[in-house]
Amino acid sequence: MNTSPFRTAIAGLVAGGVLVGLLLGWRMVESRRRAAEEQAEAFVECRRLVQQIRSLKDQPHVAGSREQPLKELAATVEQCAEAASLPSEALSRIEPGAPRRLGKTAYLEQEISVELRSTTLPQLSQFLHSASTRSGVRVKRLQLLEPRRGGEGESWGVEVVFAYLIYAPQSAAAKSSR
Amino acid sequence: MNKPLVGALHYASDEGWRLARLPGAAGQNDVESPRWKTLDGPAASDSSFDPAKLADVLAAENLGAAPILLALPSRACSAVPIHGVDAIRLPRTTLVYEMEAGLIDAVEELAIDLYLRPEGALGIGVRIEAWKPLLETLEEHGLSVAGVAPWACIALEAILPHVSGADALLFPLDGRLECFALESGVPSQWLTLEPGGLAAAAVLRTWALERGSALRVACLGPEGDRPSLGPPSPDLDYFEPNLKLSGDLESLALDRAEVVLRRPSTPHLELLREGLSPRAYWSELKAPAGFLAAGVCAAVLAAFGWLFATAWRYDAAAERFAAQQVDLFRSLHPDLPPPPGVRSRLESELRQLRGTSAGETADVPQESAFATFHAVLAALPEGQRFRILDVRVDGGKLEFSGEARSHREAEALSAALEATGRFQLAPLATNVLPGDRGVGFTVSAAYTPAPIAPLPAGAQP
């Protein structure tokens, strides 16, 4: 058969082009398929995550998600004192400590030392209860000293150390420090 | 611009192989120069004929790949008339086998073409075995044979337009007399005769008898060399052709050869077919190959269509799942704009919630000094007099000191705490206070909170 080299070359180029086109098309379809599968998996995972988030949101929280600034801490303590009907002069000192990591855990603990004067036991009990209901706050140490008898009954000098638990995984802390 | 033509390669019995270059052919600039060139090669009829030698001679002519028309001598051809069939409508294969009765060779051994008409046909064949080696050798040497036809038929086709109305045609060619019967302007019989009009007249009278009417015979040839049929007879009439030859018939035939080479679709007798054509195999495969190519094209188009449709479907599915993720996020946080990565955002949120939830913080201290203090207050016995002077609680550890009226009352206080089952007490330390003020005591204990009771089955938290 007498076929011109030019026509043979063109035919070869066309055939090669078609093959390359099919190959590229197949790769395109594969990448789209993978993308669709990933989105489907992501959707299933998101549905599961949302269910877990909803159930965890209903549970009590023992840690905060961020470090609280001093102003915010002081305001919280004052609110608790107000809830316990403590006069403003009874709240003699609020002293926050620096957050420190609890061993190798994902948590930081920030201590807040609070000194109360002339506080009755019902007031103290209400004050501590009010603080304990705050997210991430627990009464770590408590010292009652110098009981005095007064018109409203026995009052005490109280030093309370609250521990404010902050969830701060090492990797997140490292990221935020960058 | 016309493509270059080589012209006709003709085997003439007296001169051997001749090559005629057509006007504008490769290496032919002078149109008026003599066209025929006798080639220095062996004759086809020689037993020592070697096609390769002829191919070498032709290769030396610098013909390139320009097409060649191979013009065969009449004696190499077999002509068989077919009568009484509608050759226009009958399949070619049927007509070919109709020829078999008039042939020495089997039709499978011949390359055959036909002149067709409604009342019959004239089949002309050439032995494949005799000419195929030459054609293959020429092809192998890069020479392109574009057509194969009897030289007489080429000349006939050149003359036919000028003899409309004639029933027979006589013309000298290649030293012989070519004699054709015509019906409706189409050749119906062919004989090659020795020169001289007597034999031709006998043949023509036979044809006239077969037809049952007088034949109008056109005799062509150079002036003074026209075939003569002898004295007039009732069976044969002379027919004056509408043609005045300025040169010989071969020039006319070469013009026809040029037409055939330039426009292969021109209707003409073509023997480059079946087993004789190197292209015949491919020609037979042409139709199936066409269908195959069309099928492949359709399959390729379908494949591309499927690929794009599938890709589109996957894209649509991916978009649908992405939108559903956004909907999930909005159901959780209606007031927040959905982030680009919903999944990673939810994962991060869940990690944080787990970190802050009660159930997930087993590795951090949980003891509450408030719970311990509250438990102490609740456990203190009523109806007893004692005075507590200071209390120190550190998580679950407790120490308080005070004054009671007697050792027994101090012991009772300690026992009340122990009775709760939640305090582990260190040995009670007491001391007698001076001035009959009773006894001082110090209580040290560790508090264990009560475990959280599991919920009853079916109860909601």
Side-chain angles (χ1 to χ4, degrees):
Chain A
M1 215 167 117
N2 188 20
T3 308
S4 89
F6 179 71
R7 288 176 65 183
T8 307
I10 291 291
L13 280 174
V14 168
V18 166
L19 282 177
V20 169
L22 285 173
L23 186 65
L24 290 176
W26 179 253
R27 289 184 65 180
M28 174 191 72
V29 167
E30 274 297 296
S31 69
R32 304 289 171 90
R33 184 182 63 78
R34 279 196 296 274
E37 283 178 356
E38 283 169 10
Q39 288 292 350
E41 285 172 16
F43 167 66
V44 173
E45 181 65 11
C46 283
R47 199 163 52 185
R48 188 183 65 81
L49 290 169
V50 166
Q51 285 173 349
Q52 291 187 340
I53 287 169
R54 284 196 171 121
S55 87
L56 282 175
K57 271 188 169 175
D58 296 336
Q59 290 186 10
H61 291 233
V62 294
S65 56
R66 60 182 176 85
E67 189 178 329
Q68 286 195 336
L70 173 61
K71 199 173 173 181
E72 208 171 301
L73 284 172
T76 303
V77 171
E78 282 168 359
Q79 283 169 9
C80 293
E82 197 177 334
S85 305
L86 282 168
S88 58
E89 62 269 17
L91 201 60
S92 63
R93 181 169 61 87
I94 302 173
E95 187 180 332
R100 62 180 182 83
R101 187 161 294 281
L102 289 174
K104 292 182 179 178
T105 66
Y107 296 92
L108 297 173
E109 188 180 75
Q110 185 178 17
E111 291 188 352
I112 304 108
S113 179
V114 177
E115 196 173 304
L116 303 171
R117 284 185 298 205
S118 303
T119 306
T120 63
L121 285 181
Q123 285 174 325
L124 175 63
S125 182
Q126 184 62 42
F127 174 71
L128 296 178
H129 178 263
S130 178
S132 297
T133 56
R134 306 284 167 142
S135 176
V137 175
R138 78 184 168 99
V139 181
K140 187 175 182 183
R141 289 191 296 276
L142 177 65
Q143 190 171 6
L144 286 81
L145 298 166
E146 300 169 5
R148 289 180 188 170
R149 289 193 177 277
E152 295 178 358
E154 198 170 43
S155 63
W156 299 73
V158 180
E159 188 175 331
V160 187
V161 176
F162 293 108
Y164 178 56
L165 200 60
I166 305 159
Y167 177 67
Q170 297 269 26
S171 56
K175 272 185 194 169
S176 63
S177 67
R178 275 177 207 161
Chain B
M1 183 179 166
N2 291 330
K3 61 182 179 180
L5 304 172
V6 166
L9 177 65
H10 174 225
Y11 177 72
S13 54
D14 294 336
E15 300 176 70
W17 287 100
R18 300 187 301 164
L19 178 68
R21 291 175 185 265
L22 298 173
Q28 178 71 21
N29 296 322
D30 184 3
V31 178
E32 297 302 325
S33 64
R35 292 178 174 180
W36 287 111
K37 178 180 180 181
T38 303
L39 299 174
D40 184 17
S45 58
D46 293 352
S47 58
S48 61
F49 174 63
D50 183 0
K53 284 183 183 173
L54 178 61
D56 289 338
V57 171
L58 286 171
E61 294 289 326
N62 295 323
L63 303 177
I68 300 173
L69 179 66
L70 183 62
L72 301 179
S74 299
R75 61 182 171 76
C77 305
S78 304
V80 178
I82 304 168
H83 300 289
V85 295
D86 185 352
I88 305 290
R89 292 188 179 178
L90 278 179
R92 177 188 149 77
T93 314
T94 307
L95 294 172
V96 165
Y97 281 100
E98 285 281 334
M99 288 172 63
E100 197 153 40
L103 290 169
I104 299 170
D105 301 305
V107 289
E108 290 83 2
E109 294 174 3
L110 300 176
I112 294 172
D113 200 5
L114 301 109
Y115 287 116
L116 305 176
R117 63 184 198 284
E119 304 83 19
L122 174 63
I124 296 172
V126 64
R127 291 188 69 230
I128 294 168
E129 191 184 16
W131 297 97
K132 190 170 183 179
L134 172 62
L135 291 171
E136 286 179 344
T137 306
L138 294 179
E139 287 280 337
E140 286 166 8
H141 281 71
L143 296 161
S144 173
V145 176
V148 176
W151 184 226
C153 291
I154 297 170
L156 168 73
E157 290 168 8
I159 295 166
L160 276 178
H162 307 286
V163 294
S164 178
D167 297 321
L169 185 59
L170 284 178
F171 58 87
L173 192 71
D174 198 16
R176 293 178 179 239
L177 192 61
E178 300 296 344
C179 184
F180 285 91
L182 306 174
E183 287 186 33
S184 308
V186 179
S188 58
Q189 300 207 57
W190 176 28
L191 284 173
T192 303
L193 306 170
E194 291 299 324
L198 292 178
V203 168
L204 291 170
R205 285 196 181 95
T206 307
W207 287 351
L209 284 173
E210 285 175 2
R211 196 175 294 187
S213 62
L215 291 182
R216 288 170 293 174
V217 183
C219 298
L220 282 96
E223 288 297 332
D225 192 23
R226 279 195 181 183
S228 171
L229 298 176
S233 73
D235 298 329
L236 304 174
D237 292 336
Y238 281 104
F239 180 87
E240 189 59 31
N242 182 23
L243 178 66
K244 298 293 179 191
L245 289 175
S246 56
D248 56 5
L249 273 171
E250 289 195 328
S251 295
L252 200 64
L254 278 179
D255 292 341
R256 173 68 183 174
E258 182 179 357
V259 170
V260 169
L261 284 175
R262 287 203 190 281
R263 292 193 298 276
S265 59
T266 306
H268 67 283
L269 190 90
E270 181 56 79
L271 298 177
L272 188 64
R273 58 174 64 237
E274 289 135 9
L276 193 57
S277 170
R279 303 183 188 90
Y281 175 74
W282 300 107
S283 302
E284 286 171 13
L285 289 181
K286 199 172 178 181
F291 285 121
L292 182 65
V296 168
C297 287
V300 165
L301 285 176
F304 274 116
W306 179 84
L307 286 173
F308 280 106
T310 308
W312 180 83
R313 280 207 313 275
Y314 283 136
D315 276 350
E319 283 175 14
R320 195 170 61 249
F321 285 125
Q324 286 174 333
Q325 290 173 55
V326 169
D327 290 344
L328 278 174
F329 183 84
R330 284 197 174 126
S331 72
L332 200 62
H333 303 293
D335 301 329
L336 292 180
V342 172
R343 180 181 180 172
S344 58
R345 169 68 179 274
L346 291 175
E347 283 173 344
S348 169
E349 189 174 339
L350 180 63
R351 267 198 306 276
Q352 198 163 29
L353 275 173
R354 278 180 173 157
T356 59
S357 297
E360 306 290 334
T361 51
D363 53 347
V364 296
Q366 301 283 333
E367 304 94 348
S368 167
F370 175 50
T372 307
F373 179 62
H374 195 268
V376 169
L377 291 180
L380 289 176
E382 293 180 5
Q384 278 193 304
R385 289 181 62 83
F386 52 85
R387 186 177 182 211
I388 293 175
L389 299 175
D390 66 85
V391 181
R392 289 185 181 81
V393 185
D394 187 351
K397 291 178 185 172
L398 164 74
E399 184 178 302
F400 64 91
S401 60
E403 295 172 354
R405 285 182 297 188
S406 62
H407 286 287
R408 188 172 54 81
E409 287 185 348
E411 289 284 352
L413 176 61
S414 173
L417 289 176
E418 200 161 24
T420 62
R422 294 284 143 208
F423 290 96
Q424 281 190 320
L425 282 95
L428 182 68
T430 57
N431 60 297
V432 176
L433 298 171
D436 198 18
R437 287 165 47 206
V439 296
F441 63 86
T442 301
V443 175
S444 299
Y447 173 67
T448 305
I452 299 169
L455 288 170
Q460 294 295 321

